[in-house]
Amino acid sequence: MSYLETTHDVYKEAALTPDVGLCCTTNPIWELPGLKIPRIMQEMNYGCGSTVHARDLSNNPKMLYVGVGGGMELLQFSYFNRQKHGVIGVDVVDEMLEASRENFKIAEEQNSWFKSEYVDLKKGDALNLPVEDNSIDVAAQNCLFNIFKAEDLKLAIEEMYRVLKPHGRLVMSDPTCEQPMNETLRNDDRLRALCLSGSLPIADYVKALTDVGFGTIEIRARKPYRILNPEDYPTDELIYIESIEVAAIKDPMPEDGPCIFTGKAAIYFGKDDYFDDKKGHVLLKNQPLAICDKTASDLAKLGRQDIFISESTFHYDGGGCC
């Protein structure tokens, strides 16, 4: 049995019998006017963060969500869209698609604004999406890419890139791990199905996105996720895993490489009202400016004593230099 077949079986079981302990289930339950999340959706919330960000969802974007779970994030996306077939949900597991359909009926009863027709559920594979090229404004996945081995991960990212419109956004939440996994962990198909043994270091995760062509990367959050300990997992030492929320934007690739935002800021505190680096970056006195890592490096090379550059916070809220 391949690791993808193992994954299919794990999530088939989770669709038939909700498993609150599967994955991490740390998605925030959005407190928005008129939005009620059915309890069954919360119990089937098999994610490790959130892919729902209001600033991505203005002007009724066409949305795609891959790996539907119990439908919670699809419902949250629909809150911002409210159009027939405005959100597409894709999953390879028939039982998970059927569970989402049933959950949407409950959501309709609890939310007067919601209609199941807002979500178009499709049977499909993340490696071969049933979606037209350049047709999606916002694509999302939560705790899915980390099940894939390297070659399949590349294919999955390429598929997302293919379906996105120019300047479209791929929003993701996945586990990451800076500590290397041992061979036993890496080859454990069930751990991979749980998004654990496929965890990548952040640098490798970002590189996989920029290699496909995404010109802008935003690291929006980095949170504690799980500990793999010797008593419960085939490891000789504690392994710390984090959850990371990332947006990859289908911007043209700059000649000098991608713009990667990791939560750095620059503050000018010199004698003048502002500092202009003559490269498109104007720093007003004592007003922090979010900057990408590339700009941070360029400013640091100037050797000025009146510009402070913060360390990466791995939290980014937009409004940056590029």
Side-chain angles (χ1 to χ4, degrees), residues 29-37 75-76 79 110-111 113:
I29 308 303
W30 278 64
E31 298 292 338
L32 293 169
L35 174 62
K36 295 182 180 179
I37 308 293
L75 176 62
Q76 292 175 150
Y79 179 89
Q110 297 184 10
N111 295 272
W113 58 268

Side-chain angles (χ1 to χ4, degrees), residues 250-298:
K250 194 176 179 179
D251 290 336
M253 182 65 68
E255 292 183 2
D256 57 350
C259 295
I260 301 171
F261 290 89
T262 62
K264 291 181 182 289
I267 303 176
Y268 167 68
F269 56 94
K271 296 180 180 180
D272 298 322
D273 291 335
Y274 64 90
F275 169 76
D276 186 347
D277 71 351
K278 309 300 182 183
K279 296 181 179 180
H281 309 113
V282 177
L283 306 179
L284 300 180
K285 188 173 182 177
N286 280 323
Q287 293 191 26
L289 176 68
I291 55 175
C292 70
D293 290 8
K294 187 170 55 179
T295 299
S297 176
D298 290 343

Side-chain angles (χ1 to χ4, degrees), residues 16 30 32 44 57 73 87 112 115 123-125 138-139 160 167 193 202 211 238 256 294 306 314 316-317 319:
L16 297 173
W30 278 64
L32 293 169
M44 297 179 67
L57 305 175
E73 290 193 81
V87 182
S112 60
K115 298 179 181 179
K123 172 76 174 288
D125 191 328
V138 178
M160 289 291 211
H167 307 294
I202 291 177
D211 282 351
L238 294 179
D256 57 350
K294 187 170 55 179
D306 54 3
F314 296 99
Y316 176 69
D317 293 325

